[in-house]
Amino acid sequence: MPTMMLDLPQGSYPIHIGPRLLQEAGLLSSLVTGHRAAIITNTVVKPLYMHWLSEALAPFQPVVIVLPDGEPQKALSTIDYVVGELLKARCDRQATLFALGGGVIGDITGFVASVYQRGVPFVQVPTTLLSQVDSSVGGKTGVNHALGKNMIGSFYQPRAVIIDTTTLATLPDRELSAGLAEVIKYGVLGNYEFFVWLEDHMEALLSRDPEALTFAIETSCRDKARVVEADEKEAGLRALLNLGHTFGHAIEAGMGYGQWLHGEAVAVGMVMAARLSERLGWLTAADVTRLRNLVAAAHLPTDPPAMDAKRFLELMAVDKKVLGGELRFVLLRGLGVAFITKDVPFDVLTDMLNS
Amino acid sequence: MPTMMLDLPQGSYPIHIGPRLLQEAGLLSSLVTGHRAAIITNTVVKPLYMHWLSEALAPFQPVVIVLPDGEPQKALSTIDYVVGELLKARCDRQATLFALGGGVIGDITGFVASVYQRGVPFVQVPTTLLSQVDSSVGGKTGVNHALGKNMIGSFYQPRAVIIDTTTLATLPDRELSAGLAEVIKYGVLGNYEFFVWLEDHMEALLSRDPEALTFAIETSCRDKARVVEADEKEAGLRALLNLGHTFGHAIEAGMGYGQWLHGEAVAVGMVMAARLSERLGWLTAADVTRLRNLVAAAHLPTDPPAMDAKRFLELMAVDKKVLGGELRFVLLRGLGVAFITKDVPFDVLTDMLNS
């Protein structure tokens, strides 16, 4: 089983990747320090995988908190609800929380862990490809505000990440593709070799070949861990991970969260970043086409929904990546070479958005 | 002007204490790093002191967010509101928040700062004695949950604490006394010399003698800073600062927040801790009387409201200081010598609560 460490000044934590990890009771129970555990999951994941985890944690009388599925759960009202359930179950400052589910469950659980009685330990057990390669690693937690996505949150690292690749067997095709968008991102932003590997193995990934999936998850987690180690709080380098996200968030917000999956919006956002890079003379038309083809091969959209430039600009202006009132873009100098710039003429941007 | 530093592994910050600090525009504006500032205050403090702060911060076009007064504001719904106002004002990740008011404003602002876009800098400008000597120093932030006080929060340090002692001129007598409860606490828990000084200077403090107040604030802040430096996250030593709080929180919760001021409940809680210490043979009756007399001299209550032992125990069981299901108490071996113990026989506790 591949295990890697994520090393930060305040401590290190392991990322375990492999089949049937949810059945390894010894590994799971070793992650609880206090007397109690709590499992936060949702109505979709609970019938599929809860029994393994609750069995492994039985000695810690786990309280199980089940949320409805979906992005609308990422709200302060959910935090209020989960905190109430933990209090009713008499969970104290030593309780360990387990996030069993996708990115929404991970973001909510991580945020609750960071604020419940001013902080308790938690473990990420991501069950979707998207959360396995993205949100479960790196310690970003949070919920949405009516006026913007992820506007309320914290940097709070889990005690461990447990990636049971067997859980991908039940993932709907559309969500598998959405996860592949973030996988592709790691190739595009800084790992050309991996980009080429993805061009060669997209079929294997879509047919859920275990070895191909494990390699893709491992490479994505390692690439992400190295970026987070260099810049946990997103002072600079970590912003590269937002490749495709400035446009992607605008699409998600503009269409109403949940209409487009996050990965689908990011896929289109990456193609838009590539097209903008081409217009600015930093990327060849051939490279834009290669990216577009890889995205399409993953059964992901390559073009934005019908939304005019004005609406895009409006939605991007409240994006977190606005620094001192100026928009920063993650663009490409080549496949595998992303960089951050504010130097995007307004008319070039609006031309690309209108084209 | 007395200035002291609070030194923590992640960085140091200054605590400035003196008259008319709100008029020192240079000092205040030097604390803003980005382009924008936001002032969070309430309807009582705004007409008294806002003009100084907004004038000092004028170059940063401060957005002013005014909340109603009182403990009920410490709720997630307020966090949602403040975040919305910051987003509407286009405050980005570089914005600096200023908490102008008492403990409620400081706790809310600190918590918002810790979670707004995953963390922005903030400055404490406490205007009540209670917040000047207690909540503004040490980085505890948070809001209440329907099921418990301060159950949602974070450890998040301010960039600086600005204590303008002139603001105490407008503080109601009852709130001055409530603040003195926390001042007395520092003497009782670890500074016998200061306890004696307080016995000699209570009259001067109640008549708002500027020199006496400055000395009391400075000593309290220094004592607190040393404890926080030794144990920021309350793994051990910092729990000493909860002297009087286990009983005090039960009184506040049992009577409904706002009926008893926090300082009043802590004052009674300290006397109760002393009485329990006496019953366990750790404190003399004479010392209990000295503490009771000092508390009374500060115009604070010395006896709990009519609430039976059963209700007290019920309310204390969801207290944050419950570790692994066992109640920990901060008790006294003498005036100026507090310690933490779980070793309190149940019948001795109930006898004290019923007496």
Side-chain angles (χ1 to χ4, degrees):
Chain A
M1 149 180 103
T3 295
M4 67 191 77
M5 296 301 292
L6 200 154
D7 296 308
L8 294 169
Q10 67 270 36
S12 304
Y13 62 91
I15 303 165
H16 302 283
I17 304 168
R20 289 173 296 282
L21 294 189
L22 275 171
Q23 296 172 47
E24 300 204 8
L27 170 66
L28 292 162
S29 62
S30 74
L31 299 169
V32 182
T33 35
H35 303 264
R36 289 302 299 280
I39 302 169
I40 291 108
T41 187
N42 70 26
T43 49
V44 173
V45 176
K46 182 178 178 243
L48 297 170
Y49 303 112
M50 243 287 293
H51 57 288
W52 295 114
L53 192 53
S54 55
E55 217 165 88
L57 301 177
F60 308 102
Q61 309 156 52
V63 50
V64 177
I65 302 170
V66 185
L67 304 174
D69 186 32
E71 181 83 14
Q73 294 303 309
K74 277 185 63 172
L76 280 181
S77 54
T78 305
I79 304 304
D80 188 67
Y81 171 73
V82 175
V83 166
E85 294 301 300
L86 293 171
L87 287 170
K88 282 188 220 160
R90 298 276 157 114
C91 287
D92 65 13
R93 284 182 177 174
Q94 315 280 302
T96 305
L97 313 191
F98 286 76
L100 178 70
V104 169
I105 289 294
D107 286 1
I108 290 171
T109 305
F111 187 56
V112 169
S114 74
V115 300
Y116 183 64
Q117 304 205 14
R118 298 201 183 92
V120 296
F122 85 112
V123 176
Q124 290 275 19
V125 190
T127 59
T128 65
L129 181 58
L130 183 69
S131 57
Q132 289 173 350
V133 299
D134 183 28
S135 55
S136 71
V137 173
K140 279 195 182 178
T141 83
V143 296
N144 301 327
H145 186 276
L147 299 181
K149 197 169 152 68
N150 291 323
M151 286 295 148
I152 303 171
S154 56
F155 290 98
Y156 196 73
Q157 301 295 336
R159 171 167 294 172
V161 183
I162 307 289
I163 300 178
D164 183 339
T165 51
T166 321
T167 60
L168 297 179
T170 54
L171 194 68
D173 287 342
R174 187 176 169 195
E175 287 193 46
L176 185 74
S177 290
L180 289 172
E182 295 280 355
V183 173
I184 291 170
K185 188 188 76 176
Y186 295 106
V188 180
L189 80 85
N191 191 338
Y192 178 70
E193 198 183 348
F194 186 46
F195 186 91
V196 174
W197 183 91
L198 287 168
E199 289 182 319
D200 294 341
H201 293 81
M202 194 48 75
E203 276 304 309
L205 290 167
L206 286 172
S207 64
R208 306 185 193 221
D209 174 82
E211 268 182 51
L213 280 172
T214 301
F215 179 78
I217 294 168
E218 199 188 331
T219 305
S220 299
C221 287
R222 184 174 305 114
D223 281 8
K224 177 153 188 183
R226 295 303 89 89
V227 172
V228 172
E229 283 167 357
D231 175 27
E232 184 190 1
K233 302 284 177 70
E234 197 163 328
L237 188 66
R238 185 166 179 168
L240 291 177
L241 297 175
N242 291 321
L243 173 65
H245 282 61
T246 301
F247 297 122
H249 283 164
I251 292 172
E252 284 184 275
M255 304 308 287
Y257 289 114
Q259 299 306 303
W260 280 57
L261 295 181
H262 177 66
E264 293 168 346
V266 167
V268 171
M270 285 192 290
V271 175
M272 291 174 80
R275 284 168 49 211
L276 185 56
S277 304
E278 184 197 357
R279 276 172 186 261
L280 293 165
W282 287 318
L283 197 67
T284 65
D287 281 346
V288 177
T289 302
R290 268 181 83 181
L291 173 58
R292 193 187 276 275
N293 289 344
L294 183 59
V295 166
H299 299 173
L300 286 162
T302 55
D303 291 297
M307 220 165 80
D308 64 13
K310 189 164 159 290
R311 182 80 179 121
F312 258 107
L313 292 169
E314 196 178 281
L315 289 162
M316 292 191 301
V318 289
D319 189 277
K320 286 195 304 305
K321 268 110 3 219
V322 181
L323 282 189
E326 290 183 71
L327 215 46
R328 299 196 311 165
F329 290 87
V330 185
L331 297 181
L332 301 171
R333 286 193 205 283
L335 295 173
V337 192
F339 70 106
I340 298 161
T341 181
K342 292 184 192 173
D343 195 13
V344 174
F346 190 73
D347 56 335
V348 179
L349 174 62
T350 45
D351 279 0
M352 187 279 289
L353 291 171
N354 282 323
S355 73
Chain B
M1 149 179 105
T3 295
M4 66 190 78
M5 296 302 291
L6 200 154
D7 295 309
L8 293 169
Q10 66 270 34
S12 305
Y13 62 90
I15 303 164
H16 301 283
I17 305 167
R20 288 173 296 282
L21 293 190
L22 275 171
Q23 296 172 47
E24 299 204 9
L27 169 67
L28 292 162
S29 63
S30 74
L31 299 169
V32 182
T33 35
H35 303 264
R36 289 301 299 282
I39 302 170
I40 291 109
T41 188
N42 70 25
T43 48
V44 174
V45 176
K46 183 179 179 241
L48 296 169
Y49 302 112
M50 244 288 294
H51 58 287
W52 294 114
L53 192 53
S54 55
E55 215 165 87
L57 301 177
F60 307 101
Q61 311 156 52
V63 49
V64 177
I65 302 170
V66 184
L67 303 174
D69 187 29
E71 181 83 14
Q73 293 304 308
K74 276 185 65 171
L76 281 181
S77 54
T78 306
I79 304 304
D80 189 67
Y81 171 73
V82 174
V83 166
E85 294 301 300
L86 293 171
L87 287 171
K88 282 188 219 159
R90 297 276 157 115
C91 286
D92 65 14
R93 284 182 176 174
Q94 315 281 302
T96 304
L97 313 190
F98 287 75
L100 178 70
V104 170
I105 289 293
D107 286 0
I108 290 170
T109 305
F111 187 57
V112 169
S114 74
V115 300
Y116 183 66
Q117 305 205 12
R118 300 203 182 89
V120 296
F122 85 113
V123 176
Q124 290 276 19
V125 190
T127 60
T128 65
L129 181 58
L130 183 69
S131 58
Q132 289 173 351
V133 299
D134 183 28
S135 55
S136 71
V137 172
K140 278 195 183 179
T141 82
V143 297
N144 301 328
H145 186 276
L147 298 180
K149 197 169 152 70
N150 291 324
M151 286 295 147
I152 303 171
S154 56
F155 290 98
Y156 196 74
Q157 302 295 337
R159 171 167 292 171
V161 183
I162 307 289
I163 299 176
D164 183 339
T165 52
T166 321
T167 60
L168 297 179
T170 54
L171 194 67
D173 287 342
R174 186 176 168 195
E175 287 193 46
L176 185 75
S177 290
L180 289 171
E182 295 280 354
V183 172
I184 291 170
K185 187 188 77 177
Y186 294 106
V188 180
L189 79 86
N191 192 337
Y192 179 69
E193 198 184 349
F194 186 45
F195 186 91
V196 174
W197 182 90
L198 287 168
E199 289 182 318
D200 294 340
H201 293 81
M202 193 49 75
E203 276 305 309
L205 290 168
L206 286 171
S207 65
R208 306 183 193 224
D209 174 83
E211 268 182 51
L213 280 172
T214 300
F215 179 77
I217 294 168
E218 198 188 333
T219 306
S220 299
C221 287
R222 184 175 303 113
D223 281 8
K224 176 153 189 183
R226 295 303 90 87
V227 172
V228 172
E229 283 167 357
D231 176 26
E232 183 190 2
K233 301 283 176 72
E234 198 164 326
L237 188 67
R238 186 167 177 167
L240 291 177
L241 296 175
N242 291 321
L243 174 64
H245 282 61
T246 301
F247 297 121
H249 283 164
I251 293 172
E252 285 184 274
M255 304 308 287
Y257 290 113
Q259 300 306 303
W260 279 57
L261 295 181
H262 177 66
E264 292 167 345
V266 166
V268 171
M270 284 193 291
V271 175
M272 291 173 80
R275 284 168 48 212
L276 185 56
S277 305
E278 184 196 358
R279 277 174 183 260
L280 293 165
W282 287 318
L283 199 66
T284 66
D287 280 346
V288 177
T289 302
R290 268 181 82 181
L291 173 58
R292 193 186 277 276
N293 289 343
L294 183 59
V295 166
H299 298 174
L300 285 162
T302 55
D303 292 297
M307 219 165 80
D308 63 14
K310 190 165 160 287
R311 183 81 178 121
F312 258 108
L313 292 169
E314 195 178 284
L315 290 162
M316 291 191 303
V318 290
D319 190 277
K320 287 196 305 304
K321 274 129 330 243
V322 181
L323 282 187
E326 289 181 72
L327 214 47
R328 299 197 310 166
F329 290 86
V330 184
L331 297 182
L332 301 172
R333 286 192 206 283
L335 295 173
V337 192
F339 70 107
I340 299 162
T341 181
K342 291 183 192 175
D343 195 13
V344 174
F346 189 72
D347 56 335
V348 179
L349 174 63
T350 45
D351 279 359
M352 187 279 288
L353 291 172
N354 281 322
S355 72

